[in-house]
Amino acid sequence: NTSFKRNPLISSSGNNGQVESLRTPKEPRNKVTVVLGAQWGDEGKGKVVDLLAMDADLVCRCQGGNNAGHTVVVDSVEYDFHLLPSGVLNKKAVSFIGNGVVIHLPGLFEEAEKNLQKGKGLEGWEERLKISDRAHIVFNFHQAVDGIQEQQRQLQAGKNLGTTKKGIGPAYSSKAARNGLRVCDLVSDFTVFEEKFRVLAEHFLTMYPNLNVDIDNELQQLKEYAERLRPLVTDGVYFMHKALTGHSKKILVEGANAALLDIDFGTYPFVTSSNCTVGGVCTGLGVPPSYVGRVYGVVKAYTTRVGVGAFPTEQDNEVGNLLQSRGREFGVTTDRQRRCGWLDLILVRYAHMVNGFTAIALTKLDILDTLSEIKVGVAYSVDDEPLPSFPANMDVLTRVSVKYETLPGWCCSTEDVRCFEELPPQAQSYIRFIEDFLQVPVKWVGVGKSRESMIKLF
């Protein structure tokens, strides 16, 4: 005698109202606001995140590792973040490192210590940081392998990728090869973790016989980190679900790297190893697409690139030198000098196609203050043939000719300006030109280093 139980929701006529309410589409209660880089990184995302994080309840990182670098200035103190979300400076907010991030534990704790010595902003950071149990771990040998791989590329093709040598690529490779280790492994049974760690280390030693790995020493270090880490670890999926569906919350997601460094959509192979476009928010945090709200693209008023790879609007001349020195263009993570050039709107429009920006934050406008004329890249062509879209093939991108629109400069300082109307008319025209070309509004304009120097337009 098999008894068949009906679903009470649909069997009882009294529950029809409940069924109907389930079938009526509901608007998500809490949507996430996303801040993403729209060029090759170093656009000033940290400053925009810091601005939005002031009244956020939750600030998340969803991809990348300590290859990212965000500088935030608060009360004249300059903090440098690589793994920690910049929002950790807000003592009322919780910071969350999602499953899409790869974590180098010595790097995480060193970063916290360094910033603690700079000022009071980071005090109590461990009480307000949560880490997904599904995040993968970057080991010291991943970093060593990163360096070896760069040397090999240089020897074989005379071309390196210009990686930060932080072990990010090799760690994501382990993740894709399914022999990586996650935070949940480390805080679980250490004996089992040790076994898997030794297998992974041996795997890399077989591939790279010259690799210098002190397995026992690193295991001892990891055992100590496991204890410090345990109170911070949480089930990331459940944590985010609760935040999204619970009582009203302001949730901010801080993208690392940028659109043109995305593993799929960037200038491959000169890219990073994760998705730094909007899709990475969903996969790197466990956030359903319907919960993604506003997406802000951060665009520098000119273009910079660290390391090697095609750069159509690069100015290897006095203009480039001026932008480099006025903009203090050195990488936060590697201290490498950034290559500089004119604003490339073909590239930014392409980033918008992938990310669907709600609005733009235009940063470092003040760096252009001394120029009498400013050029903006508006079209590409190859062999006199116009290119309809941004090319996937890097050999094509290195050959493009750029069509420029020349706009008048303003030749005066904008550093003390605090509202749009006070900007010189030529600077206002520059902003309007960008808006018209991209068909995306500019919401903020940055004219200095501090939080106060971000002018809000609407």
Side-chain angles (χ1 to χ4, degrees):
N1 246 353
T2 332
S3 60
F4 177 73
K5 284 188 180 175
R6 290 186 180 190
N7 183 335
L9 275 182
I10 42 182
S11 62
S12 144
S13 55
N15 282 330
N16 281 349
Q18 207 174 337
V19 175
E20 286 311 311
S21 78
L22 274 179
R23 289 171 183 168
T24 309
K26 289 183 193 70
E27 189 62 23
R29 178 172 289 180
N30 298 324
K31 288 193 171 191
V32 300
T33 296
V34 185
V35 176
L36 300 171
Q39 292 152 304
W40 275 296
D42 312 308
E43 301 93 350
K45 294 179 291 293
K47 196 185 296 171
V48 181
V49 168
D50 180 50
L51 199 71
L52 294 169
M54 286 195 296
D55 64 346
D57 301 296
L58 176 60
V59 184
C60 315
R61 270 281 305 271
C62 62
Q63 43 69 230
N66 59 344
N67 57 333
H70 292 168
T71 304
V72 179
V73 181
V74 179
D75 300 328
S76 305
V77 180
E78 201 170 280
Y79 298 95
D80 289 332
F81 295 112
H82 301 280
L83 259 169
L84 288 167
S86 320
V88 77
L89 291 168
N90 176 357
K91 291 187 165 60
K92 294 193 184 86
V94 174
S95 287
F96 178 58
I97 297 176
N99 58 277
V101 179
V102 288
I103 304 170
H104 182 242
L105 294 169
L108 176 72
F109 290 108
E110 275 166 32
E111 179 184 325
E113 292 306 318
K114 274 184 189 169
N115 282 303
L116 272 170
Q117 286 163 19
K118 290 181 178 183
K120 293 183 173 181
L122 224 70
E123 283 176 0
W125 68 277
E126 286 176 278
E127 271 78 64
R128 50 184 193 271
L129 178 70
K130 289 288 169 204
I131 297 174
S132 170
D133 53 357
R134 289 172 171 84
H136 277 253
I137 303 172
V138 180
F139 297 114
N140 293 342
F141 56 72
H142 283 131
Q143 297 196 334
V145 164
D146 210 352
I148 292 170
Q149 287 178 345
E150 275 291 77
Q151 283 173 346
Q152 288 178 347
R153 287 184 202 107
Q154 190 65 44
L155 291 169
Q156 286 160 6
K159 270 186 185 173
N160 54 22
L161 290 181
T163 85
T164 56
K165 301 189 181 69
K166 296 288 183 186
I168 308 303
Y172 278 117
S173 298
S174 292
K175 178 178 178 173
R178 289 155 297 177
N179 58 8
L181 287 166
R182 302 190 292 176
V183 167
C184 58
D185 299 311
L186 178 61
V187 297
S188 189
D189 184 334
F190 196 80
T191 317
V192 178
F193 173 83
E194 181 177 338
E195 213 172 285
K196 290 176 179 174
F197 178 86
R198 288 183 186 277
V199 170
L200 183 59
E202 287 301 331
H203 163 77
F204 278 107
L205 277 164
T206 308
M207 288 167 71
Y208 304 96
N210 299 335
L211 192 62
N212 188 10
V213 185
D214 188 340
I215 295 179
D216 292 328
N217 185 42
E218 191 166 356
L219 276 166
Q220 185 52 45
Q221 202 185 25
L222 286 161
K223 196 169 193 175
E224 289 164 22
Y225 284 133
E227 294 315 306
R228 285 189 73 179
L229 202 62
R230 195 168 275 112
L232 315 180
V233 178
T234 188
D235 179 327
V237 173
Y238 180 68
F239 175 82
M240 282 308 297
H241 178 73
K242 229 167 43 167
L244 292 166
T245 57
H247 60 82
S248 180
K249 262 191 175 69
K250 283 189 175 175
I251 304 170
L252 182 62
V253 181
E254 170 182 351
N257 320 114
L260 275 296
L261 294 172
D262 184 279
I263 185 82
D264 286 293
F265 300 109
T267 46
Y268 191 90
F270 304 103
V271 291
T272 190
S273 308
S274 61
N275 286 113
C276 18
T277 43
V278 73
V281 174
C282 300
T283 55
L285 289 169
V287 170
S290 57
Y291 285 84
V292 175
R294 296 187 179 97
V295 180
Y296 296 126
V298 186
V299 179
K300 198 181 277 186
Y302 49 101
T303 311
T304 61
R305 179 161 202 180
V306 170
V308 282
F311 185 169
T313 63
E314 183 170 15
Q315 297 300 299
D316 196 4
N317 53 27
E318 281 176 21
V319 171
N321 294 339
L322 179 113
L323 294 171
Q324 206 284 322
S325 60
R326 274 186 60 78
R328 292 186 289 278
E329 293 296 351
F330 291 92
V332 179
T333 300
T334 57
D335 208 30
R336 286 180 292 185
Q337 190 168 317
R338 297 177 188 139
R339 299 152 63 193
C340 300
W342 297 119
L343 178 62
D344 184 338
L345 286 181
I346 307 102
L347 185 148
V348 179
R349 182 174 60 193
Y350 169 72
H352 172 52
M353 287 176 189
V354 175
N355 289 303
F357 297 133
T358 312
I360 274 168
L362 185 70
T363 61
K364 299 186 92 161
L365 185 75
D366 55 306
I367 306 306
L368 308 179
D369 284 352
T370 60
L371 294 164
S372 57
E373 59 174 40
I374 298 161
K375 292 185 177 181
V376 181
V378 292
Y380 290 166
S381 61
V382 172
D383 303 329
D384 295 326
E385 285 292 313
L387 278 183
S389 59
F390 188 83
N393 188 308
M394 283 310 98
D395 299 328
V396 174
L397 192 66
T398 50
R399 288 171 47 228
V400 300
S401 299
V402 182
K403 181 190 170 195
Y404 289 102
E405 193 77 42
T406 303
L407 302 170
W410 41 95
C411 297
C412 64
S413 176
T414 57
E415 283 181 36
D416 297 324
V417 173
R418 291 298 175 262
C419 70
F420 182 76
E421 291 69 30
E422 284 176 17
L423 283 169
Q426 299 91 331
Q428 293 185 24
S429 300
Y430 186 69
I431 294 160
R432 294 289 175 239
F433 182 86
I434 293 165
E435 289 183 315
D436 289 344
F437 186 93
L438 299 172
Q439 290 296 292
V440 182
V442 171
K443 190 176 176 71
W444 297 277
V445 177
V447 289
K449 287 185 84 172
S450 69
R451 190 189 273 170
E452 296 70 38
S453 66
M454 291 296 285
I455 303 166
K456 193 174 181 182
L457 275 64
F458 65 93

